[in-house]
Amino acid sequence: MIAEALAAPDSTSTVAAWQRELQESFRSPAALAAHLGLEPCPPHVPTAFAFRVPRAFAARMRRGDPADPLLRQVWPAPAETHEASGFGPDPVGDLAAARGDGLLHKYHGRVLLTLTGACAVHCRYCFRRHFPYAGQTASRGAWTRVLEALHADPSIEEVILSGGDPLSLPDARLAAITDDLAAVPHLRRLRIHTRQPVVLPSRVDDALLAWLSRFPLPTSVVLHVNHANEIDAALMAACAALRRTGVHLLNQAVLLRGVNDSVADQTALSVALFDAGVVPYYLHLLDRVRGAAHFHVPEEAATTIMMQMRDRLPGYLVPRLAREDAGAGAKTVIA
């Protein structure tokens, strides 16, 4: 499961505003329900997958609406306890691709580093909700071995920082990591997969922007926005600030039943993303992780949505519909 505690600030630094905001996150469904005026509370069940929702994200939820699409993404529903055929703890084959010390090598030319198990928000469909982070992160103690592995493989041209959420780490730690990566002679690109600017826009502060601005290699920041209602003025300002550092902004969404599984939802999302300066990149079919089967949208329905989107939008606003299969050499593009 995702780690409960987020990375602590360096002992020599002050606590940043975003870290203070994280400390004030909702940590129980009852507290969030009371905040949203949901009475009686929507049914939920305790699970081993912890609950965390930043107040900045909760502020975009509709008060009094248990069907709000943002609330549904974070609410621990009773269906999480139901067993479903084909849904397991490692749906995309992460463990088979693990090379130790947080290094995952699935695809030619690029590797993924799980830097932390911490996230600002705990999405109930998370494909790594059962991932054994305790033994599968690029910790400080393992970092020398990670660098040795990267230097030893000249085929690796891109490193993907992931987790958890890599932006859960303090800026000083992120800078130390990327300084070392910049010294790998065959590395040409950096990619950062994060939901933190979406659910906690204050994370995009001066220190983060300074770190991104000085990294010498082309960098893509891949956000995770699932619904147009997640895009507010604060997120748009954060995206504008990120773009000014020279990074490329892309989005990967997940198709979720009861959240964004209509052509209207997906069209609105693509338009809102582009207005925020973010390119709609992938729309993923749900990874079949245990506890998330109630979010599943059949492939046929997903393909129909994509066909209707193409009738309504220019091609550059239509993401690629894709599925990740364990052991495959690349994502499977469906439409």
Side-chain angles (χ1 to χ4, degrees):
M1 60 172 283
I2 291 177
E4 281 273 0
L6 293 173
D10 293 341
S11 59
T12 57
S13 67
T14 58
V15 176
W18 65 270
Q19 291 170 315
R20 289 195 297 270
E21 283 193 45
L22 275 176
Q23 294 170 0
E24 298 169 355
S25 296
F26 292 103
R27 301 304 301 271
S28 74
L32 178 59
H35 174 77
L36 294 174
L38 295 171
E39 295 181 358
C41 294
H44 69 273
V45 292
T47 71
F49 187 52
F51 184 90
R52 182 195 289 274
V53 180
R55 291 178 179 269
F57 192 60
R60 289 167 245 172
M61 299 175 185
R62 294 191 293 258
R63 290 186 56 82
D65 183 3
D68 176 79
L70 278 60
L71 176 65
R72 288 179 65 90
Q73 294 179 58
V74 300
W75 192 261
E80 290 186 31
T81 63
H82 301 166
E83 290 294 329
S85 177
F87 286 76
D90 184 23
V92 298
D94 277 345
L95 295 181
R99 300 296 178 260
D101 301 321
L103 193 65
L104 299 181
H105 198 170
K106 290 184 180 181
Y107 305 140
H108 177 76
R110 52 206 186 273
V111 295
L112 183 145
L113 291 177
T114 52
L115 296 183
T116 175
C119 282
V121 66
H122 292 179
C123 303
R124 308 312 296 185
Y125 53 87
C126 177
F127 71 98
R128 289 196 179 124
R129 58 182 288 168
H130 305 291
F131 190 75
Y133 286 105
Q136 295 288 346
T137 55
S139 63
R140 292 176 187 266
W143 188 239
T144 298
R145 294 191 296 272
V146 171
L147 287 176
E148 289 173 349
L150 294 176
H151 277 276
D153 189 347
S155 73
I156 296 172
E157 295 188 340
E158 181 175 14
V159 169
I160 302 165
L161 304 185
S162 186
D165 194 311
L167 297 193
S168 298
L169 296 180
D171 298 305
R173 175 63 181 145
L174 290 169
I177 288 169
T178 52
D179 284 349
D180 287 340
L181 292 177
V184 179
H186 44 269
L187 190 64
R188 301 182 63 178
R189 297 177 299 277
L190 180 72
R191 199 189 323 171
I192 303 167
H193 285 189
T194 180
R195 187 151 162 79
Q196 202 141 354
V198 180
V199 301
L200 195 73
S202 62
R203 181 63 184 97
V204 182
D205 57 13
D206 289 344
L208 181 82
L209 296 171
W211 161 59
L212 288 172
S213 295
R214 72 181 182 86
F215 187 69
L217 297 180
T219 300
S220 297
V221 174
V222 182
L223 300 174
H224 178 182
V225 184
N226 289 324
H227 196 278
N229 290 2
E230 297 177 35
I231 302 175
D232 63 355
L235 177 55
M236 293 187 75
C239 290
L242 288 168
R243 292 199 313 277
R244 286 194 292 271
T245 70
V247 303
H248 305 277
L249 290 182
L250 307 171
N251 188 66
Q252 293 189 132
V254 181
L255 188 60
L256 302 166
R257 187 170 68 186
V259 173
N260 60 8
D261 57 332
S262 73
V263 65
D265 289 331
Q266 288 298 325
T267 299
L269 174 59
S270 283
V271 170
L273 284 168
F274 196 77
D275 287 347
V278 183
V279 175
Y281 175 39
Y282 274 128
L283 175 60
H284 285 277
L285 292 181
L286 178 74
D287 295 319
R288 294 179 176 241
V289 65
R290 180 186 299 151
H294 55 293
F295 287 115
H296 175 64
V297 177
E299 185 173 317
E300 296 79 7
T303 302
T304 298
I305 290 172
M306 297 301 295
M307 292 173 60
Q308 293 177 358
M309 287 181 69
R310 290 194 179 97
D311 290 338
R312 299 187 183 193
L313 295 172
Y316 61 86
L317 289 187
V318 181
R320 288 175 287 179
L321 179 66
R323 181 182 68 241
E324 185 166 357
D325 298 316
K331 288 182 172 64
T332 300
V333 176
I334 301 165

